[in-house]
Amino acid sequence: MDMEKLVSLCKRRGFLFQSSDIYGGLQGFWDYGPLGVELKRNVKNAWWRDMVTSHDESTQPANGPSPFEMTGLDCTIIMHPQVWKCSGHYDLFHDFMVDCRESRKRYRHDQLQGRWAAYNGQRIFVATESGGEEGCENATRRALKYFHLRTKQQDRLEWDGDLQPLTAIDDLTAVLGPDATEPGTLTEPREFNLMFKTIVGALGGEEDTVFLRPETAQGIFVNFKNVVDSTRLRIPFGIAQIGKSFRNEITPRNFTFRSREFEQMEIEFFCHPDSSHAWYQYWRDRRMRWYTDLGLAGDRLQLREHDRDELSHYSTGTADIEYAFPFLPDGEFGELEGIAHRGDFDLRSHMEGKLDEKSQPLEVELDEEGNPKHRGSGKDLTYRDEASGERYIPHVIEPSAGADRATLAFLCEAYSEDEAPDDKGKMQSRTVLKLHPRLAPIKAAVFPLVKKDGMPEKARELYRSLKKSWNVFYDEKGAVGRRYRRQDEAGTPYCITVDGESLTNDTVTIRDRDTLKQWRVEIAQCGSELHDRLQ
Ligand code: GAP
C-alpha cells in the first residue's frame, strides 16, 4: 500500500488534517476531520465497550486464572508534580540519550566522545565514556580488538583527529558504541525530558511548574486507594482510562504515528503476585485478539515478546503488539501497544518514594544525604484480602495502547484499490476503505435512485428512522455509481437505495461495500438487517 495515497485520501475525505493547517501546520499535531473523528471515536468506544462495559465479571474467561472485575476513570491531564517524580518520568524524561541495541545500555548523548580510526579501507568512530588519556587508551584498545590487530600492530591503525564529542557526528551507522562489538548499534539521540511544562496559578514561579501528563497510567495508580475505598471491587480487577497524553517528541513523524499530542487507552490490572504471570499471559493474548477481531489480521500484525535481557528485573514479561505500517522499511514493525508486567513498582513508588529500578530487591532511590530522592505519598497502598486476611502490595499488568496508532493501523489495513461496475456496468477502478463495520464512520448511506417520482421522500423517511440508531448519511446528488464510490472511499459498509420498485412494494436494495452484492429487503426490516450486520 502506498502511504502517500492514504495520506491524500485522509485529507481529501476529511479524516485527518495537519493542525493549524492555514498557518503552515504545527509539527507533531494532528486534527481529526468529520470522518476521522467518527472513526477514532468508534475505535475508543469499541475498546471501552470490549474491555469495560461489556465485561462479564461473573464468568471465568478462557485462559484467565479467575473471574475479574473492570471499571474506569477519567483523570486530569495536569497532576501534582510529585506524581512524575515518583513515577520516574521527571528524572528519566531528561536529556538527549542514545540506546545501544546490542548491549542494551543507555548513554547521555553529550557525554560520549570518540575518535575516527581506519584500517584496511574501513573507517569507524570508536565511542567511549571517558575523556583525555583514558579515553584515547580505551578507543585504541577497542579499535585494535575490532580490527583484530595485536597491540604491537597498533601503528597500522590510522587515526583521524583527536577525541571529539559524539554530538558532532551526524551519521551513527559508523559509530562503535562504548560496549558494542559492531558499529551502528546506537539509536538516534532522544531527549528524555519529553514532558511539556506549564504554570499553574497567576504568579508563575518555578514552584508552580506542572507537567502535561506523558501517559494516562499514573492517574490510575494514584487513584488506586480511592477506587478500592469507594467501590466493592476486589482483586483481581482492572481500571481503564482513555485520554490525551503529551510528549515533546524530538522527531515527530510518520503521520500520526509519533505525535506530540495523542490519546492512550490504558488498563492497570491489579492482581495477587502469585497469579501475576498468568494474568500477564491472559492480557497479552486478549489484547492481540482485540486487534484481529477488528480486522488487523494477517502477517502485518505480530506479537513480540521482549527478550529476558530487555526486561526490568521486577518484570516477568513484556510484549509489544506491532503492525507493519507501510511507511516502515520492509520487515519492520511499529508498536501499537505494550503489555507489561510491572510488579509492585508503581504502587510502591507512590507509597514509599521513587524506587531505584536498578536495585534488587527494589529499594527507594536516595539522594547524596541518604534521604529519598523523591518522597512518596506515605499513604498505605497495600491491599487486604478479606477472605484470607493476607495484606500485600498488588502486582500490576499494564496493557497500554495508543488510540491514534490503532486508528492509523485500521486505516492502513482497510485501504484497498479494486474495480467496481459503473452505472453502465463498465468496470472502473475504485478506492475503498474496508473498515470493520464497528469502526466505519458512517454505517449506511441512503440514496434515492433518482431525484423524482417520490423516491427522495421515501428515502428521507428511511434515513430519518435509521438515524435514530446509527450515523447514516443521505445523498441524492449525482449518478448513483458516483455516490457509491464516495461511500466506498469513506468506508461505509452498506448503501441502501430506494428505486422504482420501492414505491410499489416497500422494498429497497442494500449493497455490500466489499462483495458488491445487492439484495432486496423490506423497508420495515432495514433496521434489524443493519443491526445484525453492524456487530
Ligand atoms: N504507560 C505505559 C506507556 O505509556 P508507551 O509504550 O510509552 O507506554 C503506550 O506508550 C502506547 O502509547 C504506545 O504503544 C503507542 O501506541 C502510544 N504512543 C506512545 N507515544 C506516542 C506518540 N508519540 N504518538 C502516538 N502514540 C504514542
Side-chain angles (χ1 to χ4, degrees):
M1 201 272 281
D2 183 346
M3 195 62 201
E4 276 182 20
K5 285 188 179 171
L6 179 67
V7 173
S8 141
L9 174 86
C10 282
K11 174 144 197 198
R12 184 161 44 81
R13 294 307 314 273
F15 279 94
L16 277 157
F17 309 125
Q18 174 99 55
S19 163
S20 322
D21 208 5
I22 60 168
Y23 289 103
L26 186 62
Q27 221 198 344
F29 296 89
W30 294 92
D31 294 337
Y32 285 80
L35 287 178
V37 65
E38 295 293 338
L39 171 62
K40 185 173 165 190
R41 192 155 293 174
N42 290 341
V43 170
K44 291 186 289 179
N45 287 347
W47 185 88
W48 192 263
R49 175 138 192 81
D50 296 345
M51 298 300 116
V52 185
T53 46
S54 73
H55 173 67
D56 172 11
E57 71 285 346
S58 60
T59 308
Q60 175 150 358
N63 309 319
S66 69
F68 63 93
E69 298 185 83
M70 288 296 295
T71 192
L73 278 179
D74 185 9
C75 307
T76 59
I77 283 168
I78 293 175
M79 300 169 71
H80 193 292
Q82 199 64 16
V83 169
W84 307 112
K85 292 186 174 161
C86 287
S87 70
H89 289 85
Y90 184 80
D91 289 341
L92 255 187
F93 271 37
H94 216 280
D95 292 318
F96 284 87
M97 311 293 281
V98 287
D99 289 320
C100 177
R101 287 182 278 258
E102 186 189 332
S103 67
R104 306 270 162 225
K105 290 203 173 164
R106 175 172 288 167
Y107 312 92
R108 280 265 298 272
H109 186 221
D110 60 355
Q111 287 184 346
L112 293 187
Q113 41 199 316
R115 282 183 87 185
W116 285 105
Y119 171 70
N120 218 6
Q122 194 189 358
R123 191 167 176 264
I124 59 168
F125 184 84
V126 190
T128 151
E129 286 182 277
S130 35
E133 243 175 60
E134 200 192 331
C136 286
E137 276 167 23
N138 181 290
T140 307
R141 202 172 50 250
R142 294 183 45 251
L144 289 171
K145 190 165 177 200
Y146 175 73
F147 288 119
H148 305 292
L149 292 171
R150 301 220 184 97
T151 313
K152 61 183 177 196
Q153 298 172 305
Q154 59 176 284
D155 54 351
R156 298 195 193 174
L157 279 177
E158 286 172 47
W159 293 102
D160 183 359
D162 288 326
L163 282 177
Q164 55 175 313
L166 183 67
T167 47
I169 310 299
D170 286 332
D171 177 13
L172 295 183
T173 56
V175 175
L176 180 67
D179 300 279
T181 55
E182 288 294 326
T185 62
L186 294 186
T187 60
E188 286 298 311
R190 292 197 293 157
E191 194 189 0
F192 267 68
N193 200 341
L194 297 180
M195 287 195 292
F196 283 99
K197 277 186 189 173
T198 189
I199 302 286
V200 165
L203 295 178
E206 193 50 34
E207 65 282 6
D208 300 317
T209 299
V210 289
F211 302 94
L212 304 192
R213 68 181 175 201
E215 61 171 28
T216 58
Q218 297 304 322
I220 301 179
F221 293 127
V222 302
N223 273 298
F224 169 75
K225 187 171 158 50
N226 282 339
V227 172
V228 172
D229 291 349
S230 63
T231 64
R232 291 188 186 159
L233 288 175
R234 290 289 155 246
I235 275 177
F237 69 82
I239 305 179
Q241 174 164 220
I242 298 179
K244 290 265 186 178
S245 292
F246 301 81
R247 295 183 192 175
N248 196 3
E249 299 281 0
I250 306 306
T251 49
R253 67 178 121 188
N254 293 331
F255 214 10
T256 57
F257 182 80
R258 179 159 294 116
S259 312
R260 289 178 165 143
E261 175 176 344
F262 55 96
E263 266 184 288
Q264 289 186 308
M265 310 186 289
E266 298 201 287
I267 295 171
E268 304 304 327
F269 186 81
F270 301 94
C271 57
H272 190 280
D274 291 348
S275 54
S276 61
H277 189 66
W279 280 118
Y280 161 72
Q281 289 170 319
Y282 167 77
W283 278 107
R284 183 197 59 191
D285 299 343
R286 168 123 189 250
R287 289 301 307 145
M288 181 71 177
R289 232 174 21 251
W290 188 76
Y291 291 99
T292 53
D293 287 351
L294 285 172
L296 290 195
D299 53 8
R300 298 186 75 82
L301 187 74
Q302 71 173 20
L303 182 80
R304 187 180 69 81
E305 278 279 356
H306 287 206
D307 295 336
R308 283 239 134 247
D309 57 357
E310 280 181 84
L311 295 177
S312 333
H313 59 77
Y314 56 78
S315 171
T316 66
T318 296
D320 288 341
I321 297 174
E322 300 177 328
Y323 184 71
F325 286 96
F327 47 76
L328 297 171
D330 265 0
E332 280 194 23
F333 288 73
E335 181 187 322
L336 278 182
E337 168 161 354
I339 300 98
H341 180 295
R342 298 191 52 85
D344 60 5
F345 182 85
D346 307 276
L347 288 180
R348 270 190 67 200
S349 287
H350 285 301
M351 187 161 62
E352 301 167 17
K354 192 200 161 252
L355 298 174
D356 177 358
E357 286 191 47
K358 294 189 204 84
S359 59
Q360 195 171 16
L362 284 168
E363 283 172 9
V364 173
E365 195 173 330
L366 302 177
D367 63 16
E368 294 87 50
E369 275 107 53
N371 299 315
K373 189 169 176 209
H374 300 301
R375 279 185 196 287
S377 65
K379 297 282 184 298
D380 182 4
L381 303 182
T382 59
Y383 173 85
R384 186 173 173 279
D385 185 306
E386 277 161 15
S388 67
E390 185 189 2
R391 186 170 279 287
Y392 59 91
I393 305 173
H395 277 207
V396 167
I397 312 303
E398 179 187 70
S400 171
D404 306 84
R405 284 196 191 169
T407 303
L408 184 58
F410 287 125
L411 274 170
C412 292
E413 186 82 10
Y415 184 96
S416 71
E417 290 171 354
D418 61 12
E419 290 200 326
D422 64 10
D423 290 333
K424 298 188 182 78
K426 196 167 158 229
M427 294 309 271
Q428 302 281 358
S429 62
R430 70 163 183 164
T431 300
V432 52
L433 287 184
K434 295 187 172 174
L435 289 165
H436 190 286
R438 287 182 72 193
L439 304 181
I442 299 169
K443 305 302 181 192
V446 182
F447 309 148
L449 183 64
V450 288
K451 219 167 120 185
K452 57 183 184 185
D453 302 334
M455 288 183 219
E457 290 75 13
K458 207 162 190 77
R460 273 202 181 276
E461 198 182 317
L462 174 60
Y463 162 75
R464 269 188 227 104
S465 80
L466 296 177
K467 204 163 174 59
K468 290 181 190 147
S469 309
W470 299 285
N471 189 23
V472 287
F473 187 81
Y474 177 80
D475 190 4
E476 59 182 23
K477 291 195 197 88
V480 75
R482 250 208 323 271
R483 283 181 262 161
Y484 282 146
R485 223 57 93 244
R486 279 187 65 75
Q487 293 307 315
D488 290 342
E489 274 191 346
T492 308
Y494 300 105
C495 289
I496 304 172
T497 305
V498 170
D499 55 16
E501 203 180 320
S502 313
L503 305 176
T504 57
N505 66 4
D506 273 336
T507 62
V508 286
T509 61
I510 302 186
R511 169 195 181 262
D512 181 292
R513 176 196 66 200
D514 301 341
T515 62
L516 298 174
K517 279 199 186 123
Q518 301 201 19
W519 63 98
R520 287 203 88 82
V521 174
E522 285 178 25
I523 290 181
Q525 297 306 313
C526 267
S528 62
E529 179 89 11
L530 279 186
H531 179 270
D532 293 346
R533 291 175 179 273
L534 290 173
Q535 308 285 338

